[in-house]
């Protein structure tokens, strides 16, 4: 099979931990052809979406992890599957790419994750569809509304709706002398909507990443445990990743969501769970596959290729 991956610039990827590279290596080991596409190379003309693509030969060397072949320009329908794996920011260019990919899908290309579903699932706001699983939450931009939530809950987390990797996440208590300036900064003086959530003490045990692949729940999570003096467990913010079996609460959430999200064409989903509360549903480029595979011996990238092979058969 021919699999194309829409990626960030190849020289920016860190092969020792990158989930997309792990998936490409897993595909190559099974004899599939692997191609890399840059988002800016997507082109629509005369009803066809095409892109310049690099065929890659994958290696096990994390420094020189691929050998590039001769660039080709092919319609996206020429591949058995195309995986959209570029990180946000979720700006207008990202949205434009989802429109182009949606056009390709209508012409018969298999695109994962489904571009319309990526566009419609804000990784922060998607949890609002499942209020039975989430902590006390308020989405607002007016300072009075945010302050009222802080007063009601005493200890809160404030975060923008378009951040990733723990960027701009603040823990704010009711007696915090800086709460007003934090709210002003995050809301850009009431011009940007943010999310406020009650602080979950269970974060001390880790912000868990739970993966769902092709509608099936991976039986292990990666607990991103905050470093000393830090609230955020994100690996990008210095958190420590420890893989472990799912708890009953995590499995219950994931098993409930799995068929719903797979029916929407979301092949790879990363849930963020603290304690037994769902805090995010990640659909753009969920990670943590390498760490779970290395620590638990469960081949997560292989599970992705299993799901792709089944979906494309």
């Amino acid at each position: 099979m021919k699999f194309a991956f829409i990626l960030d610039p190849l020289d920016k990827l860190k092969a020792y931990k990158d989930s997309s590279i792990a998936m490409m290596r897993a595909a190559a080991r099974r004899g599939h052809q692997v191609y890399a596409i840059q988002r800016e190379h997507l082109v629509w003309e005369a009803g066809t979406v095409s892109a310049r693509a690099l065929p890659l030969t994958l290696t096990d060397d994390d420094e020189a992890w691929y050998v590039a072949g001769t660039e080709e320009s092919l319609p996206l329908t020429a591949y058995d599957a195309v995986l959209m794996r570029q990180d946000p920011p979720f700006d207008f260019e990202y949205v434009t790419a989802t429109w182009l990919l949606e056009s390709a899908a209508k012409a018969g290309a298999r695109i994962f994750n489904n571009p319309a579903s990526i566009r419609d699932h804000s990784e922060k706001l998607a949890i609002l569809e499942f209020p039975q699983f989430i902590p006390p939450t308020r989405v607002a931009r007016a300072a009075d509304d945010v302050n009222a939530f802080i007063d009601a809950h005493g200890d809160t987390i404030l975060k923008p709706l378009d951040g990733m990797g723990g960027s701009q996440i603040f823990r704010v208590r009711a007696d915090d002398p800086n709460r007003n300036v934090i709210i002003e900064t995050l809301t850009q003086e009431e011009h940007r909507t943010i999310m406020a959530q009650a602080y979950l003490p269970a974060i001390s045990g880790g912000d868990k990443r739970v993966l769902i692949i092709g509608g099936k729940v991976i039986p292990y999570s990666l607990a991103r445990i905050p470093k000393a003096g830090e609230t955020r467990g994100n690996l990008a913010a210095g958190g420590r990743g420890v893989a472990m079996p799912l708890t009953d609460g995590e499995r219950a959430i994931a098993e409930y969501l799995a068929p719903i999200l797979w029916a929407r064409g979301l092949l790879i989903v990363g849930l963020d769970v603290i304690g037994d509360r769902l805090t995010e549903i990640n659909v753009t480029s969920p990670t943590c596959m390498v760490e779970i595979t290395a620590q638990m011996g469960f081949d997560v990238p292989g599970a992705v290729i299993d799901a792709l092979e089944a979906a494309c058969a």
Side-chain angles (χ1 to χ4, degrees), residues 143-144 146-152 154 158 172-185:
D144 285 349
V146 177
N147 272 311
F149 185 86
I150 296 171
D151 289 336
L158 305 184
V172 182
R173 297 179 175 88
D175 61 354
D176 191 324
N178 294 309
R179 64 186 273 185
N180 288 331
V181 70
I182 291 171
I183 293 169
E184 288 170 7
T185 300

Side-chain angles (χ1 to χ4, degrees), residues 257-281:
L257 295 181
I260 297 171
L261 299 177
W262 181 221
R264 297 171 183 175
L266 294 168
L267 179 89
I268 306 171
V269 177
L271 308 181
D272 287 350
V273 180
I274 300 175
D276 61 354
R277 297 291 91 188
L278 176 67
T279 61
E280 291 187 19
I281 301 175

Side-chain angles (χ1 to χ4, degrees), residues 18 23-24 78 89 138 143 153 168 171 174 205 275 288 311:
D18 190 272
M23 285 186 277
M24 289 189 286
R138 175 171 287 186
H153 294 279
Q168 300 181 65
R171 180 181 179 182
C288 300

Side-chain angles (χ1 to χ4, degrees), residues 227-243:
K227 64 182 180 181
E230 177 62 81
T231 298
R232 302 168 298 173
N234 308 75
L235 301 184
R240 176 170 56 94
V242 179

Side-chain angles (χ1 to χ4, degrees), residues 125-190:
L125 295 178
I127 66 170
L128 306 185
E129 184 180 352
F130 309 103
Q132 69 270 38
F133 297 128
I134 69 175
T137 297
R138 175 171 287 186
V139 178
R141 77 181 199 186
D144 285 349
D145 293 328
V146 177
N147 272 311
F149 185 86
I150 296 171
D151 289 336
H153 294 279
D155 196 353
T156 62
I157 295 293
L158 305 184
K159 54 188 174 183
L161 300 179
D162 58 354
M164 61 176 292
S167 174
Q168 300 181 65
I169 292 178
F170 290 86
R171 180 181 179 182
V172 182
R173 297 179 175 88
D175 61 354
D176 191 324
N178 294 309
R179 64 186 273 185
N180 288 331
V181 70
I182 291 171
I183 293 169
E184 288 170 7
T185 300
L186 279 179
T187 66
Q188 296 176 353
E189 298 188 342
E190 301 188 328

Side-chain angles (χ1 to χ4, degrees), residues 40-55:
E40 59 267 27
H41 293 160
L42 292 171
V43 174
W44 182 97
E45 186 173 3
T48 298
V49 178
S50 61
R52 301 201 307 273
L54 276 178

Side-chain angles (χ1 to χ4, degrees), residues 235-248:
L235 301 184
R240 176 170 56 94
V242 179
M244 57 187 66
L246 295 185
T247 66
D248 290 343

Side-chain angles (χ1 to χ4, degrees), residues 25-41:
R25 284 171 166 166
R29 282 194 293 269
R30 299 191 190 183
H32 301 306
Q33 295 176 270
V34 175
Y35 294 78
I37 294 173
Q38 300 295 293
R39 190 180 70 187
E40 59 267 27
H41 293 160

